[in-house]
Amino acid sequence: MNKFRFLVIYGDPAPGESRRKQASFKSVCLLGKLKGKLYVIKARVFRGKNEDFIEAFFEQYKHVGGKASVYAYVENNKLQDPFFQQLFKPLVAKVRREQKIALFIRGDEEKKTDKATRIEANLEPLNREGNLILNEAERDNPHMKELEDQFKLFTLTMRYPADGPDAVEGANRIIDELIRRIEPPVFRSRKDVRKRNKKRL
């Protein structure tokens, strides 16, 4: 993990705490990007309690073990904001005090497009080129298996849940934004641009 400049933990907090088959999955994924390849290092994809959702952030943070800088985000659109402010933030603060871990989780307030088309448009090209990689060491982890199944069963009609891929897509977007902020822009002279443009007279 020390090869990564930074890692991102991204969580998608499905509403409610139901374990019924019809319920959405809560997803927390630890990812990094290296030379254009997106690596899913750890995943927690489950139906269950909000406390377990928050605990997953801290588990994945501890898994990194200081080998890389870690940014943590949780999906937080307008509908989710009351949950984020009233329930999520106090629970995070409680776990932070108990475990004495200085993990701060930012709300991802990006306005998102349709879930299915967003996942397909942003992750399918990565997958087609062999640049979306699930951690082989986690192959037998039921959470990584669930994530893999959600990718394999993904269709635009969303007949099977895609909450795991949705979290991966969110993390990928955050990683790309952070890379753009960290890496300095490349400036080229007009002369160089003209030279590269063979169609220009």
Side-chain angles (χ1 to χ4, degrees), residues 10 31 38 112 118-119 122-123 151 164-174:
Y10 192 95
L31 298 98
L38 182 66
K112 295 187 175 181
R118 178 166 36 85
I119 291 168
N122 297 330
L123 295 184
F151 270 118
D166 190 28
V168 170
E169 190 278 329
N172 182 54
R173 177 177 45 78
I174 294 286

Side-chain angles (χ1 to χ4, degrees), residues 9-137:
I9 303 171
Y10 192 95
D12 185 352
E17 298 186 322
S18 174
R19 288 189 171 93
R20 290 178 303 163
K21 282 191 175 180
Q22 296 84 358
S24 296
F25 284 83
K26 297 181 190 298
S27 307
V28 182
C29 297
L30 171 66
L31 298 98
K33 212 166 197 177
L34 204 57
K35 296 178 181 175
K37 292 184 187 293
L38 182 66
Y39 293 87
V40 184
I41 300 163
K42 291 282 279 184
R44 185 94 184 265
V45 184
F46 67 103
R47 295 180 174 107
K49 294 183 178 180
N50 293 322
E51 287 87 349
D52 295 330
F53 174 72
I54 289 153
E55 187 62 40
F57 279 89
F58 286 84
E59 284 172 8
Q60 293 183 6
Y61 182 80
K62 286 186 280 188
H63 179 74
V64 177
K67 292 175 185 170
S69 299
V70 178
Y71 293 89
Y73 285 84
V74 64
E75 186 177 276
N76 183 37
N77 60 39
K78 282 185 180 177
L79 289 173
Q80 293 163 326
D81 192 59
F83 167 82
F84 181 76
Q85 298 297 337
Q86 297 163 21
L87 183 70
F88 185 81
K89 283 175 89 172
L91 279 171
V92 171
K94 178 175 172 280
V95 177
R96 200 164 43 225
R97 283 193 307 271
E98 289 172 355
Q99 299 198 16
K100 296 180 173 60
I101 293 174
L103 175 61
F104 295 88
I105 302 167
R106 300 171 172 97
D108 174 19
E109 295 168 3
E110 179 78 16
K111 213 173 175 186
K112 295 187 175 181
T113 55
D114 174 71
K115 182 174 177 176
T117 53
R118 178 166 36 85
I119 291 168
E120 181 172 75
N122 297 330
L123 295 184
E124 194 280 330
L126 276 172
N127 185 53
R128 187 176 357 112
E129 297 294 324
N131 292 328
L132 175 56
I133 298 158
L134 305 185
N135 188 357
E136 180 73 23

Side-chain angles (χ1 to χ4, degrees), residues 120-158:
E120 181 172 75
N122 297 330
L123 295 184
E124 194 280 330
L126 276 172
N127 185 53
R128 187 176 357 112
E129 297 294 324
N131 292 328
L132 175 56
I133 298 158
L134 305 185
N135 188 357
E136 180 73 23
E138 293 284 307
R139 178 182 283 275
D140 296 326
N141 184 325
H143 296 281
M144 190 66 87
K145 278 184 155 179
E146 178 60 43
L147 178 63
E148 183 182 6
D149 287 345
Q150 289 188 12
F151 270 118
K152 285 180 175 176
L153 297 169
F154 174 80
T155 63
L156 286 173
T157 56
M158 304 268 286

